[in-house]
Amino acid sequence: MAKPVILAVDDEPQVLNAVERDLRRHYRGDYRIMKATSGQEALETVRQLKRRNAPIALFLADQRMPVMSGTEFLAEARKLNPDTRKVLLTAYADTEAAIDSINAIGLDHYLMKPWDPPEQMLYPVLDDLLSDWQATVPLPYDGIRVAGTLWSPSCHRVKDFLARNRIPYQWLDIEKDAEASELVESVSPEQIRLPVVFFPDGSVLVEPNNRSLAEKCGLQTQATEPFYDVIIVGAGPAGLGAAVYGASEGLRTLMIDKEATGGQAGTSSRIENYLGFPNGLSGADLARRATAQAQRLGAEIVTAREVAEVRVEDPYRIITFGDGTELVCRALVLATGVSVRMLDVPGVKALTGAGIYYGAALTEAAHYRDEQVFVVGGANSAGQGAMFFSQYASKVTMLVRADALEKSMSQYLVDQIRATENIEVMLQTEVVEALGENRLEAITIASNEPGGTKTLPAAAMFLFIGAVPHSELVAGVVQRNSAGFIVTGPDLIQSGRRPKNWKLKRDPYILETSVPGIFAAGDVRQGAIRRVASAVGQGAIAISLVHQYLKTV
Ligand SMILES: Cc1cc2nc3c(=O)[nH]c(=O)nc-3n(C[C@H](O)[C@H](O)[C@H](O)COP(=O)(O)OP(=O)(O)OC[C@H]3O[C@@H](n4cnc5c(N)ncnc54)[C@H](O)[C@@H]3O)c2cc1C
């Protein structure tokens, strides 16, 4: 936490320097001493400190200043920082003004000039005020603050990005917090764009994209080399598995993710079936551990960058980012995973991020405390989501298309859901419409039950309805099936024939795609078992196959 500030304000340089000197002598260990030569300059300093959330313990202002007197400055500064202690420096003739100010602006004390000796005339008064301030005013949050509204999709994106990159932040809801609203207006009074992200160094980003946010937060967004032995696209469990093995086995390894490390697993509230963690662990914890492990072993990790294209210039594999920059490698591992399928019914698109969320959206759960929320889907991820939200919401209703949860969910989760009082399961039910002006207010569902279609109030709806592979980056480069999943290994051999354009005298290795030296691991592969352990295992196997491939080129 930065030291609290004592701000001295005086237009006479000699007096200001003398105040500063005496303040520094006594308070420099615990406070930061700042000075301003006019009321206006001091107000600007206060605004800047406020943007940084830096605490101001005390204003010490001379009453006699042209344009803005000491009391006028303190009256304005009080609006911005009501808790800061206020002291006026006065001459004999100002005593009346000072006494009036005690009531008018809540002046804490007035001091006569000169204040010599400070040990008797200055420090005892200020010590008293400062210890009172320390005892009664809580220190402000000293990290990144995100100000916005709960119903804004870009606010959700920014919060999600920070959370998934494990960067702590404080959320300021400008609809509930007048001070936060003023702070946002002070940044761009003409046109308010949200969210506004305030950093402890005083800088501000308005509606930032993931890359600028990542750069500002100190995440690596650029590769340090133009060339690597192996590039891994995707930093979910498969990518992390590959990065750990690649780096530990001496390959120059780069892993790239468009968002954060951890992938889908990173969004999971509790993974109970991953080997070695008998009490389960959260996806964020797993991602943090695996990321640290990969980095310690020497893997380079770039986040907030999306790979747009892949091309082959034998013997090299080249990846291109959205901005056209390229990187070259000898072997490529595609570990780009899947994302949840979009729900294509009226109202959903417009309200996505404003009460409707894809996946677990853990960052939003606490906002729905004591409200009724819906979880759509019947697989394990939906079950975990329902269990997680049941800790916050008054009631969680699961809408499942199948006629039994057991059809697509592990038995341990089915048992947990049945044992949780505030989870209701509606089988053979679908969402047909989402309703709401600026945020989700209700949903219409259709079921086989008598009554058929009905509209129910809904604070939030979390969707877990199947997966779409992230494989567009290799469209037309490697073979994909009709759903877009990447075909690998034995699946590429059709009627005993190797894939088209395959020139090698061997079959594709088990995780190799239709292009030699490009491998796929994890959920993006056709036929993948969608589990953390199998993704990690495939990442490791992919690296062993990379070694075999590199021996031949
Ligand atoms: C909510 C939830 C709970 C789950 N719980 C469990 C569980 O308890 N146990 C279990 O075994 N499994 C669980 N799973 C499944 C498991 O998380 C997945 O099988 C696993 O994460 C797949 O790993 P992956 O690395 O293949 O892909 P992903 O985890 O999907 O990671 C792929 C990564 O690639 C990145 N990416 C995609 N395209 C690009 C691109 N063009 N450029 C750069 N980066 C890109 C993405 O941003 C993503 O981070 C759960 C899944 C979800 C969604």
Side-chain angles (χ1 to χ4, degrees), residues 69-132:
S69 69
T71 42
E72 283 165 346
F73 157 70
L74 290 173
E76 287 304 308
R78 181 196 196 192
K79 291 181 197 156
L80 297 168
N81 276 39
D83 293 325
T84 302
R85 300 296 181 255
K86 295 175 282 300
V87 176
L88 199 62
L89 269 182
T90 56
Y92 273 108
D94 303 326
T95 315
E96 211 169 306
I99 291 170
D100 288 346
S101 308
I102 292 176
N103 287 336
I105 59 165
L107 188 71
D108 292 292
H109 207 94
Y110 65 92
L111 289 167
M112 294 288 183
K113 288 189 282 188
W115 53 89
D116 275 337
E119 285 73 14
Q120 285 173 27
M121 308 299 287
L122 182 70
Y123 301 146
V125 171
L126 299 195
D127 282 350
D128 192 36
L129 289 175
L130 290 170
S131 66
D132 183 47

Side-chain angles (χ1 to χ4, degrees), residues 189-522:
E190 327 74 50
Q191 195 207 355
I192 292 189
R193 286 192 294 132
L194 297 173
V196 181
V197 187
F198 298 90
F199 294 88
D201 66 0
S203 59
V204 174
L205 288 179
V206 178
E207 209 182 357
N209 60 27
N210 287 355
R211 186 167 172 192
S212 48
L213 200 54
E215 278 164 3
K216 183 71 204 163
C217 294
L219 298 172
Q220 186 181 342
T221 59
Q222 307 267 14
T224 56
E225 308 283 336
F227 180 81
Y228 291 84
D229 293 325
V230 59
I231 292 182
I232 301 155
V233 188
L240 284 162
V244 164
Y245 283 88
S248 67
E249 291 168 15
L251 297 172
R252 269 173 302 165
T253 304
L254 172 72
M255 178 168 62
I256 302 162
D257 201 287
K258 63 185 164 111
E259 285 162 9
T261 58
Q264 295 167 72
T267 69
S268 169
S269 48
R270 194 128 212 102
I271 298 167
E272 310 236 22
N273 54 3
Y274 189 55
L275 189 73
F277 294 89
N279 300 325
L281 84 170
S282 71
D285 195 11
L286 181 65
R288 182 183 55 77
R289 287 163 183 266
T291 306
Q293 191 176 13
Q295 281 171 324
R296 183 179 65 79
L297 292 168
E300 208 179 301
I301 302 177
V302 161
T303 49
R305 296 295 299 276
E306 179 161 6
V307 177
E309 273 172 27
V310 169
R311 78 172 196 279
V312 177
E313 280 181 23
D314 274 327
Y316 304 117
R317 275 71 192 120
I318 298 161
I319 60 147
T320 312
F321 292 107
D323 63 5
T325 50
E326 295 189 334
L327 291 172
V328 181
C329 59
R330 297 164 73 204
L332 185 66
V333 176
L334 301 167
T336 45
V338 298
S339 55
V340 280
R341 188 177 296 286
M342 301 284 157
L343 177 62
D344 189 14
V345 304
V348 167
K349 203 168 174 192
L351 296 171
T352 297
I356 298 182
Y357 306 95
Y358 284 95
L362 304 183
T363 45
E364 306 300 339
H367 300 307
Y368 296 102
R369 199 175 285 281
D370 302 328
E371 303 213 57
Q372 170 153 13
V373 307
F374 289 81
V375 168
V376 182
N380 277 1
S381 52
Q384 285 175 359
M387 287 302 300
F388 182 72
F389 298 128
S390 70
Q391 298 167 44
Y392 297 90
S394 58
K395 184 175 172 193
V396 179
T397 305
M398 293 190 74
L399 305 176
V400 184
R401 246 197 333 207
D403 59 5
L405 271 186
E406 283 82 354
K407 289 225 161 124
S408 50
M409 196 179 286
S410 303
Q411 192 59 43
Y412 80 90
L413 262 178
V414 176
D415 295 342
Q416 285 181 7
I417 285 168
R418 293 215 171 109
T420 307
E421 269 181 18
N422 64 338
I423 301 183
E424 173 195 29
V425 180
M426 295 177 82
L427 298 169
Q428 295 182 290
T429 307
E430 287 182 49
V431 180
V432 293
E433 189 171 6
L435 306 153
E437 273 294 309
N438 298 316
R439 51 168 288 193
L440 182 70
E441 287 162 20
I443 56 170
T444 305
I445 57 170
S447 74
N448 285 355
E449 283 181 13
T453 302
K454 53 187 165 196
T455 297
L456 303 171
M461 174 164 74
F462 299 91
L463 302 165
F464 301 81
I465 51 167
V468 182
H470 298 140
S471 63
E472 273 305 302
L473 72 165
V474 285
V477 180
V478 307
Q479 199 171 307
R480 301 184 298 159
N481 71 12
S482 57
F485 288 92
I486 296 175
V487 186
T488 52
D491 291 347
L492 289 162
I493 310 292
Q494 295 292 323
S495 316
R497 295 174 55 178
R498 291 174 182 148
K500 215 171 112 197
N501 300 332
W502 183 270
K503 298 193 183 78
L504 305 183
K505 292 204 177 78
R506 60 165 176 85
D507 286 351
Y509 295 131
I510 184 166
L511 298 181
E512 202 167 22
T513 67
S514 58
V515 175
I518 301 185
F519 299 84

Side-chain angles (χ1 to χ4, degrees), residues 50-63:
K50 223 173 146 50
R51 270 181 221 149
R52 273 184 236 173
N53 224 15
I56 309 179
L58 187 111
F59 298 127
L60 181 56
D62 197 329
Q63 169 63 1

